[in-house]
Every structure is written in structure tokens, then in C-alpha cells.
């Protein structure tokens, strides 16, 4: 294939050589290769300043991440066959890991498919495309999914925030099969149904699967508070594992409705809900002197951008202080984060300082990570984003 050439500035290739797959617009030698010469989504050969080939990239001249590496071989572009091969390689891993077809099938850069996420819900597959390059491959993606999984339905849920950054329209489209109103999920032996309309991201968050499984070991006989519950992923699983009572907190009325629906399909009658802002709800529970044996905090990313670091860390601190206040004298705090800008070490330190501020002795029992259907590429720190701390909190211990 004959590609246009995108040149890097001197020294800009170091991060790519170390294992990263992104090219930032300020790393491009715009004198030799003006970004305005490239159309969004086009494939190009990437070369270092000394003219040494670095591989091929998808280019988007309008985005900060203006290049996404396709291959380190400058003769290999992203063809429908290469895309299908990578989707199949991703599928082989998931089928090895899980005995039922409920998982993140493709996790973007981690599977060599930057800008593409595919989630599988048995015979329904939800595809989310977030980059101009992958948008060009839309038809090939649908064909690959059809050939490899033969699903009843394929949904393109292309309404994520990243599409705006890439200059792409947002839309939800039924690419194959009948319309789907509810996504069926089975996780850790528990069943859920999630409405397609208004659902977050692709509809479910498989990334905390293993951490929710660990919660089940602590849940029997306990009173549990699940904050930012969405459709009840943590709380419903805790109840199925033997929690005596679960309270789910979410600001979305439709999410709260789904919590009750999911409680019903699992035969549970011990689920309560609070609809409202999580911080306000936690403060109100503190004022009412409510106590729980387990408090789960799984907020959305409170540090969406690096410039939000300080405000986000302060929000995590307020949240964890409130969570600790609501624990009985020997309680468990499960504090989770999906902010890639918050390290595991920093989350642990926030919990430490929160414990000291309210005079709690805290013991870190376990640290959780993202499930293996969200593999981490060591050279791409952005792929390592999920963390959780299981913390025992003791009052009057020291």
C-alpha cells in the first residue's frame, strides 16, 4: 500500500520505541508533513526525524492524539483482514478466560485496535467506535463480529465523548438483527438486565468483575451501602452472596428503576434505594447516624483530565471520609476508582489520610485491579486505570 508520510520531530520517537502507540500533534514535524494535508481517518507511514520508518498510523489532524499506531511494519496498514485477525485474537483470550459469553471482547489499544471497544452480552454485541480511523473501518468491524460470533444483534453505540474530540458525529445504530431493549448480563453467577436506551457507555462495566467477586466473600450477614450503584452491580451481587440488607444510591431515576428490576429477577427482597446526588445522600445518612457493615464507593472518573487532578483528589478525599464515617466500628470500605490519573498509591494515601482525619484505624486487606478482559499494555499507562482498595476500619482500636 502507498501511504502518505507523517514525520516526527527529533526525539519524539522515544515514547513509541518504549511501547506506546500514540503520536501527539506537538510531536509532528509540521514543516515536513503539515497536519492540514491529512484527512481525518487516513492511514499514513510514520517516520522518525532521521527518516527511519516507525510503522503505520491512523491520522486525525484535528485531535491532540493525531496518530495511532496500526503496525510497526511500515508496509502494513489496517486492512479488513488484519482487523478481523486482531478481533479474533482478542476473542481467543476471552474464550480462554470465561466460560460464558459475557465480557469485554476488544479493549482498544490493549488489543491493537485503538479507538475500538466491543462488549459481548451473549448473543448481542455492542460496538463503540471513538476515533476517525476506526470509523473508516466500521463496515469491516461489523462483518468481523458477524463472522466470528454470529450474534443475534449488533449495536453501534457511538455516542461517547471521545467522538466529539475526534470531530465525529454521535449516533446509536442497529447494525445487524432486531432492535434490543434490554441487555442480558451474567456476572459471577448473578443475572442483570440493563436498558439499552440511556445506559452508560456500552451498557455494563465488566472492568470491576473480579473486585465484585471478591466483595461476595465479605458480604454474608452484612448490611451494605452501594454508592454510585448504577444498575446495582456491586449491591445486587452482595445481596446474592448473603448480605442481609443492601442500599443502592444513584442520581439516575432509570438506574434506580433497574436496581429494583434486577433485584426482582434474582429473587431478592432486601434491596433499598436512594435517588440523589451521592455526596448529598452520604451527608444525609451521616446526619441520620446510619451505620453499615460495608460501604462501596465506585464513582465515575473524578479526574477526567490531568488539569482536574487537585479538585478530583479533593473529591475522592471527601467521598472516602464520608464512607468511613458511615461504617460500624468494625466495617469494610471498598473504595474504587476508574480515573487513570489517580494511581493506586495515591488512592491508598487518600484512604490513609481520610482515616486519620476522622480517627479511624484502617487496615488495607486487598487491592483490586481491572479484569483480564481489560488487559494492560505496560508501555501504555492509560490502559491501566481500574483500582480498588478493600479496607477494614476500626473505631477506638488505638
Amino acid at each position: 500500500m502507498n501511504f502518505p508520510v507523517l514525520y516526527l520531530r527529533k526525539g519524539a520517537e522515544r515514547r513509541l520505541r518504549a511501547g506506546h502507540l500514540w503520536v501527539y500533534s506537538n510531536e509532528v514535524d509540521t514543516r515536513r508533513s503539515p497536519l492540514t494535508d491529512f484527512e481525518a481517518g487516513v492511514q499514513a507511514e510514520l517516520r522518525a526525524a532521521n527518516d527511519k520508518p516507525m510503522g503505520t498510523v491512523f491520522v486525525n489532524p484535528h485531535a491532540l492524539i493525531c496518530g495511532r499506531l496500526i503496525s510497526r511494519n511500515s508496509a502494513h496498514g489496517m486492512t479488513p483482514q488484519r482487523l478481523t485477525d486482531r478481533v479474533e485474537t482478542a476473542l481467543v483470550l476471552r474464550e480462554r478466560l470465561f466460560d460464558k459469553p459475557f465480557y469485554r471482547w476488544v479493549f482498544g489499544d490493549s488489543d491493537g485496535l485503538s479507538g475500538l471497544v466491543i462488549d459481548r452480552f451473549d448473543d448481542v454485541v455492542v460496538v463503540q467506535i471513538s476515533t476517525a480511523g476506526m470509523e473508516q473501518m466500521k463496515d469491516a468491524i461489523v462483518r468481523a463480529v458477524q463472522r466470528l460470533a454470529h450474534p443475534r444483534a449488533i449495536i453501534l453505540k457511538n455516542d461517547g465523548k471521545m467522538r466529539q474530540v475526534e470531530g465525529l458525529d454521535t449516533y446509536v445504530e442497529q447494525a445487524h438483527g432486531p432492535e434490543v431493549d434490554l441487555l442480558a448480563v451474567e456476572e459471577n453467577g448473578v443475572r442483570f438486565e440493563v436498558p439499552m436506551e440511556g445506559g452508560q457507555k456500552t451498557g455494563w462495566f465488566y472492568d470491576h468483575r473480579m473486585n465484585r467477586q471478591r466483595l461476595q466473600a465479605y458480604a454474608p450477614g452484612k448490611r451494605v451501602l452501594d454508592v454510585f450503584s448504577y444498575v446495582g452491580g456491586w449491591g445486587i451481587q452482595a445481596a446474592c452472596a448473603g448480605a442481609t440488607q443492601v442500599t443502592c444510591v444513584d442520581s439516575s431515576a432509570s438506574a434506580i428503576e433497574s436496581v429494583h428490576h434486577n433485584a426482582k429477577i434474582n429473587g431478592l427482597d432486601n434491596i433499598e434505594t436512594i435517588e440523589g446526588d451521592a455526596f448529598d445522600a452520604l451527608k444525609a445518612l451521616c446526619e441520620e447516624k446510619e451505620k453499615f457493615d460495608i460501604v462501596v464507593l465506585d464513582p465515575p472518573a473524578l479526574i477526567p483530565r490531568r488539569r482536574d487532578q487537585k479538585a478530583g483528589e479533593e473529591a475522592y478525599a471527601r467521598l472516602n471520609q464520608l464512607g468511613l464515617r458511615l461504617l460500624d466500628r468494625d466495617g469494610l470500605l471498598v473504595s474504587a476508582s476508574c480515573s487513570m490519573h489517580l494511581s493506586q498509591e495515591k488512592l491508598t494515601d487518600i484512604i490513609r489520610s481520610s482515616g486519620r482525619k476522622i480517627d479511624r484505624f484502617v487496615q488495607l486487606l486487598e487491592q483490586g485491579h481491572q479484569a483480564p478482559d481489560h488487559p494492560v499494555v505496560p508501555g501504555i499507562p492509560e490502559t491501566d486505570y481500574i483500582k480498588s482498595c478493600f479496607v477494614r476500619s476500626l473505631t477506638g482500636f488505638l
Side-chain angles (χ1 to χ4, degrees):
M1 297 175 72
N2 189 21
F3 301 112
V5 178
L6 185 71
Y7 288 97
L8 292 172
R9 290 183 174 181
K10 186 177 181 180
E13 74 281 359
R14 290 175 190 149
R15 193 168 40 80
L16 293 167
R17 290 194 190 284
H20 215 295
L21 301 178
W22 299 350
V23 176
Y24 290 95
S25 56
N26 61 1
E27 295 175 324
V28 174
D29 185 340
T30 53
R31 181 183 59 81
R32 298 179 74 186
S33 53
L35 281 170
T36 51
D37 287 354
F38 296 86
E39 293 183 10
V42 73
Q43 299 183 40
E45 179 186 350
L46 185 67
R47 292 186 189 175
N50 63 0
D51 255 359
K52 185 169 183 178
M54 299 290 297
T56 53
V57 290
F58 279 127
V59 181
N60 188 342
H62 312 301
L64 176 62
I65 303 171
C66 69
R68 294 172 182 271
L69 205 65
I70 297 166
S71 172
R72 295 189 183 274
N73 186 327
S74 58
H76 290 170
M78 184 60 76
T79 63
Q81 184 58 55
R82 184 159 287 113
L83 181 138
T84 300
D85 290 345
R86 292 188 184 180
V87 173
E88 185 173 20
T89 299
L91 181 60
V92 167
L93 172 66
R94 278 67 178 184
E95 289 185 332
R96 186 186 306 154
L97 292 170
F98 306 111
D99 60 357
K100 293 188 178 180
F102 300 96
Y103 41 70
R104 173 144 293 181
W105 177 352
V106 169
F107 181 44
D109 292 284
S110 294
D111 289 298
L113 294 162
S114 190
L116 177 64
V117 163
I118 303 177
D119 279 354
R120 189 172 185 183
F121 304 91
D122 195 7
D123 60 357
V124 175
V125 174
V126 179
V127 175
Q128 194 158 62
I129 297 169
S130 59
T131 61
M134 276 299 161
E135 185 73 13
Q136 299 283 338
M137 304 298 295
K138 180 175 73 172
D139 292 342
I141 293 166
V142 172
R143 288 196 301 271
V145 169
Q146 285 177 305
R147 185 173 80 77
L148 295 169
H150 309 290
R152 174 172 61 91
I154 302 173
I155 301 156
L156 297 174
K157 200 167 187 297
N158 292 334
D159 55 359
K161 294 178 182 178
M162 270 298 299
R163 288 183 67 88
Q164 298 172 23
V165 174
E166 290 272 321
L168 299 171
D169 293 335
T170 59
Y171 63 91
V172 177
E173 177 184 307
Q174 195 75 30
H176 169 73
E179 286 193 17
V180 176
D181 295 324
L182 288 174
L183 293 171
V185 182
E186 185 175 323
E187 184 179 277
N188 301 324
V190 181
R191 294 186 302 124
F192 296 87
E193 289 181 350
V194 184
M196 265 304 301
E197 188 174 349
Q200 297 182 22
K201 301 282 180 81
T202 59
W204 184 256
F205 298 94
Y206 284 120
D207 45 17
H208 269 302
R209 176 199 307 254
M210 315 306 261
N211 300 321
R212 288 190 284 258
Q213 185 179 50
R214 284 303 303 145
L215 175 65
Q216 293 186 20
Y218 295 93
K222 304 301 184 183
R223 189 177 179 216
V224 178
L225 179 65
D226 177 8
V227 189
F228 304 98
S229 66
Y230 184 37
V231 299
W234 294 86
I236 298 288
Q237 291 191 42
C240 286
T244 55
Q245 193 267 325
V246 173
T247 301
C248 292
V249 179
D250 202 275
S251 61
S252 164
S254 62
I256 291 295
E257 187 178 331
S258 291
V259 169
H260 289 291
H261 175 75
N262 289 321
K264 184 177 180 181
I265 66 176
N266 284 283
L268 302 171
D269 60 2
N270 59 344
I271 307 294
E272 298 178 358
T273 56
I274 299 172
E275 181 187 335
D277 176 80
F279 287 89
D280 292 342
L282 290 173
K283 288 174 187 173
L285 289 168
C286 285
E287 290 168 2
E288 294 162 11
K289 301 191 183 305
E290 288 279 2
K291 293 293 178 182
F292 299 87
D293 301 303
I294 300 174
V295 173
V296 180
L297 306 173
D298 183 17
L302 299 178
I303 312 176
R305 298 157 298 189
R306 196 169 293 281
R307 67 187 181 193
D308 302 315
Q309 191 83 32
K310 186 173 185 294
E313 288 180 4
E314 290 172 353
Y316 278 111
R318 291 196 307 274
L319 185 63
N320 280 275
Q321 286 171 33
L322 288 166
L324 287 168
R325 287 183 190 279
L326 286 168
L327 285 172
D328 219 334
R329 69 172 305 276
D330 182 359
L332 180 76
L333 176 71
V334 181
S335 182
S337 169
C338 62
S339 294
M340 68 178 181
H341 299 300
L342 184 75
S343 68
Q344 181 84 54
E345 292 74 20
K346 185 60 182 178
L347 177 60
T348 303
D349 192 56
I350 286 172
I351 294 167
R352 175 202 59 77
S353 62
S354 297
R356 291 306 311 131
K357 190 160 189 175
I358 63 171
D359 198 24
R360 297 292 177 91
F361 180 77
V362 294
Q363 298 170 320
L364 180 59
L365 307 182
E366 300 187 40
Q367 292 178 307
H369 193 243
Q370 61 214 56
D373 52 351
H374 293 67
V376 172
V377 177
I380 309 176
E382 291 84 357
T383 61
D384 186 6
Y385 71 106
I386 286 288
K387 67 281 301 181
S388 66
C389 294
F390 286 64
V391 177
R392 187 186 187 199
S393 170
L394 295 168
T395 307
F397 181 71
L398 280 177

